[in-house]
């Protein structure tokens, strides 16, 4: 493992600064006197959140940064400082720290996972959830790689099946808290929020680079001494397309990861371990999909509770309500819809639209949001159509297949949470999902809040 100093890139004079700016304010203070040393500070581990309150404070420190601190060296290439400041000022979805993380991400070293790990072998096992391979990995909370979590981290590949019935390889990460031994009574399975659709955006890759925004949630779960499984989803990291918010493929990715983790060398999770499924946004969609598919796909799994936040139960309604700040989310969806419908993008996108889609498809969430913020979808289509109109014309069937809240789910405690101020996924979608489950006789807790926009998670 390289030390922080030697890991810094040498190809750019401002690389170290970019990566330093991506630390939280608290971390910067803690590391200020040690930046010129050749070893990580002894107290770096103390910066890892140990409770939910500390995790929230970590996020608050990041969110509190002033947009005026952004400059050329802390903004990704190809995006102007003015554009970045405007995006941050107009939405709580992006903070200055998010912008700095996106800039730091451009110059990061390898994730620590072997370079050929994500290559799918010529033949896959016949059984869904079978382990294909595993490797040691790392989990950092910052892109300078100074705040390393002491949990044992293992990335693994497993076999699953896509919506068309084709065998696929997918990946996930098992994190085992320090000091745990023997059988795990409980484990948390996290379906991450929107990462992007490029392989480099897979959580298992980003956790090793310190750029995974779900890292704080993972650290919080580990603080409760639960093993944690973080799912990558089909096509993120591994070969083949990642079909953004595809109900079947997301749900199967979650369920088969929960099966596979029981077979890993060194895993403390077995068939008796009580599984808690958690997810927010795209992760809430994947978690809910897994619930709806469990009886048919993986009835043997011991799922005992679920938390699903800001669930996009109706993708047509979600896309119709998106402001131009979140054009990237619509573009991720359009790429996946066209792939599934076998429709060439040139049939409905103009030259500019095809160029923007190609660029966005190679960016992870924060950078994609920045680069497309305030882009009117109508300016990207051949006939000036809006994205909802494009869906009406080409993708109605595909979008309808992703609807949630209609299928049977296990009789377990269910938590749905949603911010009344969510400006990406309308509040009524979360409320209706909770009502649907309640009417079906389930034990449902619905928690609303006034968190800022789509970041209003609890």
């Amino acid at each position: 493992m390289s030390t922080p100093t030697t890991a810094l890139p040498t190809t750019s004079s401002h690389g170290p600064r970019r990566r330093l700016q991506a630390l939280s304010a608290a971390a910067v203070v803690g590391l200020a006197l040690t930046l010129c040393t050749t070893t990580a500070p002894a107290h770096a581990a103390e910066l890892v959140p140990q409770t939910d309150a500390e995790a929230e404070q970590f996020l608050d420190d990041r969110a509190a940064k002033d947009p005026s601190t952004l400059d050329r060296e802390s903004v990704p290439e190809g995006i102007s400082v003015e554009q970045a400041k405007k995006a941050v000022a107009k939405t709580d979805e992006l903070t200055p720290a998010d912008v700095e993380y996106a800039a730091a991400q451009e110059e990061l070293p390898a994730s620590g996972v072997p370079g050929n790990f994500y290559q799918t072998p010529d033949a896959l096992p016949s059984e869904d959830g079978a382990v294909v391979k595993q490797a040691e990995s790392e989990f950092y909370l910052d892109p300078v790689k100074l705040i390393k979590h002491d949990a044992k981290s293992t990335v693994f590949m497993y076999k699953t099946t896509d919506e068309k019935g084709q065998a696929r390889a997918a990946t996930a990460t098992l994190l085992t808290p320090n000091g745990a031994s023997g059988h795990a009574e409980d484990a948390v399975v996290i379906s991450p929020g929107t990462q992007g659709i490029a392989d480099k955006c897979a959580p298992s890759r980003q956790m090793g680079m310190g750029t995974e925004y779900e890292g704080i949630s993972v650290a919080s779960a580990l603080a409760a001494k639960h093993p944690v499984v973080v799912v990558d989803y089909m096509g993120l990291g591994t070969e083949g397309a990642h079909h953004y918010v595809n109900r079947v493929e997301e749900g199967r990715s979650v369920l088969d990861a929960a099966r596979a983790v029981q077979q890993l060398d060194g895993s403390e999770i077995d068939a008796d371990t009580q599984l808690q499924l958690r997810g927010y946004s795209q992760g809430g969609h994947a978690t809910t999909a897994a619930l709806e598919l469990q009886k048919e796909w993986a009835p043997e799994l011991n799922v005992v509770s679920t938390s699903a936040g800001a669930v996009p139960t109706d993708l047509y309604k979600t896309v119709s309500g998106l402001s131009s700040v979140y054009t990237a989310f619509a573009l991720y969806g359009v790429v996946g819809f066209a792939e599934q419908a076998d429709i060439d993008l040139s049939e409905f996108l103009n030259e500019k639209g095809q160029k923007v889609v190609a660029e966005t498809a190679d960016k992870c969430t924060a950078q994609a949001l920045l680069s497309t913020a305030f882009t009117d979808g109508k300016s990207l289509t051949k006939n000036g159509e809006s994205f909802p109109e494009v869906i009406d014309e080409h993708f109605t069937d595909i979008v309808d297949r992703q609807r949630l809240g209609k299928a049977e789910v296990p009789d377990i405690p269910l938590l749905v949470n949603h911010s009344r101020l969510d400006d990406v996924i309308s509040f009524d979608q979360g409320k209706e999902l909770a009502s649907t489950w309640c009417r079906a006789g389930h034990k449902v807790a619905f928690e609303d809040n006034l968190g800022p926009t789509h970041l209003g998670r609890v």
Side-chain angles (χ1 to χ4, degrees), residues 29-69:
V29 172
L31 302 174
L33 300 179
T34 63
L35 296 180
C36 296
T37 67
T38 58
T39 59
H43 62 281
E46 297 174 6
L47 298 171
V48 175
Q50 298 298 316
T51 65
D52 285 342
E54 290 180 5
E56 290 179 8
Q57 186 60 53
F58 195 105
L59 292 173
D60 287 345
D61 287 342
R62 288 183 56 196
K65 299 194 72 174
D66 188 336
S68 66
T69 62

Side-chain angles (χ1 to χ4, degrees), residues 13 45 49 60 109 117 156 226 264 305 344 399 404:
S13 61
D60 287 345
F117 181 83
F156 59 97
H226 298 305
L264 291 185
S305 67
D344 193 280
V399 169
L404 298 172

Side-chain angles (χ1 to χ4, degrees), residues 164-221:
K164 293 183 178 179
Q166 299 297 311
R168 296 281 296 273
T171 48
T173 304
L174 168 64
L175 298 118
T176 304
N178 185 35
S181 62
H183 168 256
E185 296 292 336
D186 301 277
V188 177
V189 180
I190 294 180
S191 302
T194 300
Q195 305 288 308
I197 59 176
D199 285 343
K200 65 183 179 182
C201 306
S204 63
R205 293 176 184 255
Q206 295 205 70
M207 285 192 293
M209 297 188 295
T211 59
E212 176 51 57
Y213 67 79
E214 294 275 14
I216 306 304
S217 298
V218 175
S220 180

Side-chain angles (χ1 to χ4, degrees), residues 110-118 135-138 153-155 173 204-205 208:
S111 67
V113 178
N116 63 352
F117 181 83
Y118 293 91
E136 292 184 4
S137 55
E138 298 171 334
S153 181
T154 304
V155 63
T173 304
S204 63
R205 293 176 184 255

Side-chain angles (χ1 to χ4, degrees), residues 254-272:
V254 174
L255 296 172
D256 287 333
R259 284 169 155 166
V261 74
Q262 300 176 33
Q263 307 167 33
L264 291 185
D265 293 339
S267 174
E268 299 177 351
I269 300 172
D270 60 27
D272 294 325

Side-chain angles (χ1 to χ4, degrees), residues 194 196-197 242-246 282 315 319 322 326-341 345 348-349 357 360-361 387 390-391 395 398-399 402:
T194 300
I197 59 176
H242 170 57
H243 297 145
Y244 183 53
V245 287
N246 178 287
Q282 182 186 4
L315 296 187
V319 172
L322 283 179
Y326 308 111
T327 298
F329 292 153
L331 294 177
Y332 286 154
V334 163
V335 171
F337 298 158
E339 170 81 19
Q340 294 167 78
L345 294 171
F348 57 89
L349 293 181
V357 162
T360 305
F387 284 131
V390 169
I391 290 174
F395 307 123
I398 290 172
V399 169
Q402 317 316 323

